[in-house]
Each structure stands twice: as C-alpha cells, then as structure tokens.
Amino acid sequence: MSKEVRTGRRSEPRQPSPHVARKRTLKRHLILESAVRAFAARGFYGTSMDDIAEELHLTRGSLYYYFRDKEEILALCHLAALEAVLDAAERVRGACLPPDETLRRLVVEHVRIQVDKFHGTALALEFDALEPKARATVVAARDRYEETLREILAEGIAAGLFRPVDPKLATFAIFGAINWIGRWYRASGPSSPEEIGTQFAEIFLDGLRAQPGAAPSGGSGQR
Amino acid sequence: MSKEVRTGRRSEPRQPSPHVARKRTLKRHLILESAVRAFAARGFYGTSMDDIAEELHLTRGSLYYYFRDKEEILALCHLAALEAVLDAAERVRGACLPPDETLRRLVVEHVRIQVDKFHGTALALEFDALEPKARATVVAARDRYEETLREILAEGIAAGLFRPVDPKLATFAIFGAINWIGRWYRASGPSSPEEIGTQFAEIFLDGLRAQPGAAPSGGSGQR
DNA sequence: CCTACCGATCGGTAGG
DNA sequence: CCTACCGATCGGTAGG
C-alpha cells in the first residue's frame, strides 16, 4: 500500500486517496472482465476498444484512463488467468497427494477456473499480439504453469504410477483439451464445468480403452 | 449492353480455355496456402489482404480477381482442411478395423494433415467471422467430422472395447489437443508430426496411468 | 475482344 | 470520463 511518504498535509498527485484508488481498482476489474468476454468471443484483433467499453456504458476513450493501451488489457487478462491456475496448482500440490490424484484435482480446478472465471478462454488468447516485453512476462508465467504440470507427470512416471510418456507432449495434450473448451462450451449445454473436468481427468488418466480385466458392461465390483 | 448479339458461333465469354482455367485454379491454390499460413500465424482479423498477397508478389487488389472477399478465402481454408480430414476419416473407416485401431489411425492422420498441410491450425480458425450462410456450410462439414469421431467412440463403447465415457466430451478433448498443436508446434522442434500423433493416440487410448499389472520400469516382455 | 493484373483511391474504422 | 479529433491502415473497388 502506501509505500513510504505519508501524504502529509498536501495531497500529492501521485498518491490518490485510498477511497479513490479503490474505486479505480474496482473499475479496472470490471473493464478486464468485459475484455475477457469480448476477447473470448471474437479474439484480440476482432475486438474493438468500443466493444469493451460499450457494455460498461463507457466510451472508447475512457479506457485509456485506466489502461495504457489495448495490449495492456490483453496482457492483464492473461496474467489474471495464469495467476488463478498457478494458485490452484500450488494449492493442489500442497496437499501432497499421489501424482495421479494431484493431476486429477488440477485438471478439475483448471477447467473450473477456465470456464467460470474466464469464459473458457483463459490461456487461449493470442499473446503473439503483445509487444516483446509484455509477451515475455506472460510467457514466463505460462511456462511456470506448464512446468508444474510436467513435474507432476515426471513424478508420476518416476514413481511407476504413470507410463513413460513424453511429459511435454502429454502436457500439450492436456492443455489443448482444456484450452479448447472455450470454443464449444455453452453454459446452457448439458455438461457442467465439474463434469467436464472430471471426464477430462478420467480420459487423460485412464484413457478410452477398457481395462483388459474389466467386464464390458457389468460392474466387476472393484469399486 | 448488346446481350443478344452473339460474337459468332464460337468462343463463349463464360467458358475460358482449359489452359487458362487451370492456371487460375493453381493460382487460387497458392493464394489459399498463403492465407492459411497468415491466418495460422495472426488469426483472421490480424491478417490483412496485403499479408496474404505479399508473399506471392501480388498486390491486395489482385486477390479480388480470384476471390469475392476475405471471408470467402477464410471459408475455403476451412473447407479444404475439413475435406482433408473427412477424406482421411473415410479412408481409415473403410479399412474396417476395430474401433481402437481406427481411432489410433485417425488421430495420427489428422495430426499429420493438420501440421503438414495446414500449419497446425486447420480446424482452429475463427469461423465466427463468417457470414451466416458460409458459416453454416463450414459448421456442417465440421459437424460431419465430429460426428464421425463420435461414432467411432460409440462403436468402441458398444463393443466393450472403450469405457463408457461421454462421446461428446471425449471428442472435444481429442479435437482440442489436436487443434492446439498449432499453438506450440515448430518444425524445428524435437517431435515429428508422426511422433505427436502416435503419442496423442496412445494417451487417449490408454491414458497416463500405468496398467496395474505392468511392471513400473522393467519390460514385462509383453512385446 | 479477353486475361490478369496494377496504381490509386474509395468509404469506414482502428488505436490513441 | 466524454467529445473531437489525428495518423494509419483496413477491406474492397474504380478506371485503364
């Protein structure tokens, strides 16, 4: 918060009152939410600043009071999404569960965050549109998350719990399936985010093929 | 205009010579290939007609001799990709193999087509940009392909070869993983399209989890 | 007369 | 936070 200098008797222009700063932060949140919706629907280049401003009953120009430019809004959308899944990954890993259960929970959490908070398109936005510096920041956060997933897979392989797949390709497959959700998911559809996450985790963990020992249809009573 | 006056008994203006028509068809192919590359790299809205024309040493205006507008180009890119994977699906299904092997081959073929012929982004383009009629055509072809995949899954489930997953969600998972390839694949990377397709098929068919009966690391001599 | 374009510019709209 | 604009660039089309 207030770093060092008390505002003292004179209001410094750099230091708005807490009340004003809070209002500004809230508005920034609203704008980013509107932007995520628009970007998810029509992509970065297909979304105008008017699109983002419109549903907040603002005009295009006002957005530049809150954000430097369109790219900054895109970068912050990405970073918010990545922060959310990185938090989820830390929480899930903190539980110190076996790699398969860790993976299952992370997939479910990631799907839930992606769908509920980012309209299915959290990490699927085009950060190629960002200038090098902002892109580097976003890519670094994305790489941290991908690395977390690869670690979980590597641990599972080392423990003999997972087959010796290529952790990179497996990570891309999982990411792809989750990031693609935004292209087909509709809130009015038959599947809830929880059902999607649970099914996806099941497919990635156990595959489509029935276990050789399992009965085709009648329960084997294993569980 | 003098519509009624025939120019003589030969050379109808509507019917160009076969040689000229062929040249035109070839040129159209070249333009579509350029467009796919550009759309894959920067998306539909991020690509200008100049971008598409540039690498063919044409000017923007010349494209309008070959195509009505930018949307038609996007629609034809989609349809070419869908035609390719639909052909592959027909070929693979024609072999009358068990559902698991059919699925494996189709995933490998789809990945190969997607990467080699469409720069990883064959079915991942934004057809929301199309006007209703063109979009309906593209969506119909895409639905036909998705339906094919769902049928393979349903047959496998009916045969007891696949676990009773939701065929729709499983199809979306497979599509997502494949359509996401364009976001990370680089020809200079370590994995060939064939390796990617093979690994993806393996992950979807058998999952990440090691079989209960299989040895963690030492070969069981099964194969 | 037709083909395959070009140079220039149209009306609109983007980010800022 | 809006109105009034800018430099540039967009998709698309004119005449030759």
Side-chain angles (χ1 to χ4, degrees), chain A residues 74-138:
Chain A
L74 177 64
L76 290 172
C77 288
H78 265 115
L79 291 175
L82 284 162
E83 201 180 315
V85 291
L86 278 164
D87 276 1
E90 204 173 327
R91 264 199 324 275
V92 169
R93 296 203 82 186
C96 293
L97 295 159
D100 54 346
E101 180 62 14
T102 301
L103 179 63
R104 197 189 65 76
R105 292 199 187 184
L106 184 52
V107 167
V108 170
E109 275 301 287
H110 186 157
V111 170
R112 197 184 54 74
I113 291 168
Q114 174 107 334
V115 172
D116 286 345
K117 295 182 44 177
F118 295 95
H119 304 87
T121 325
L123 284 69
L125 302 173
E126 320 106 300
F127 51 70
D128 285 349
L130 297 173
E131 32 113 33
K133 199 170 165 179
R135 183 167 60 232
T137 306
V138 171

Side-chain angles (χ1 to χ4, degrees), chain B residues 47 60 64 70:
Chain B
T47 298
R60 184 178 70 234
Y64 293 89
K70 197 186 177 190

Side-chain angles (χ1 to χ4, degrees), chain B residues 93-107:
Chain B
R93 295 204 84 186
C96 293
L97 296 159
D100 53 347
E101 181 60 15
T102 300
L103 179 63
R104 197 189 66 75
R105 292 198 187 185
L106 184 52
V107 168

Side-chain angles (χ1 to χ4, degrees), chain B residues 118-141:
Chain B
F118 295 97
H119 305 86
T121 326
L123 284 70
L125 302 173
E126 319 105 301
F127 51 70
D128 286 348
L130 297 172
E131 33 114 30
K133 200 171 165 180
R135 183 166 60 232
T137 307
V138 172
V139 166

Side-chain angles (χ1 to χ4, degrees), chain B residues 7-70:
Chain B
T7 56
R9 50 196 174 273
R10 61 227 175 111
S11 80
E12 273 190 69
R14 294 285 157 81
Q15 195 95 5
S17 76
H19 165 255
V20 167
R22 167 137 186 82
K23 267 188 73 173
R24 189 182 152 94
T25 302
L26 284 172
K27 196 85 179 189
R28 282 167 61 97
H29 261 98
L30 288 174
I31 293 170
L32 289 178
E33 282 180 15
S34 173
V36 166
R37 273 191 292 277
F39 291 154
R42 294 176 300 280
F44 178 71
Y45 294 107
T47 298
S48 69
M49 293 296 270
D50 277 324
D51 292 335
I52 298 170
E54 194 179 18
E55 68 177 283
L56 298 173
H57 305 291
L58 300 179
T59 58
R60 184 178 70 234
S62 306
L63 299 182
Y64 293 89
Y65 174 72
Y66 297 100
F67 300 100
R68 181 164 30 84
D69 54 20
K70 197 186 177 190

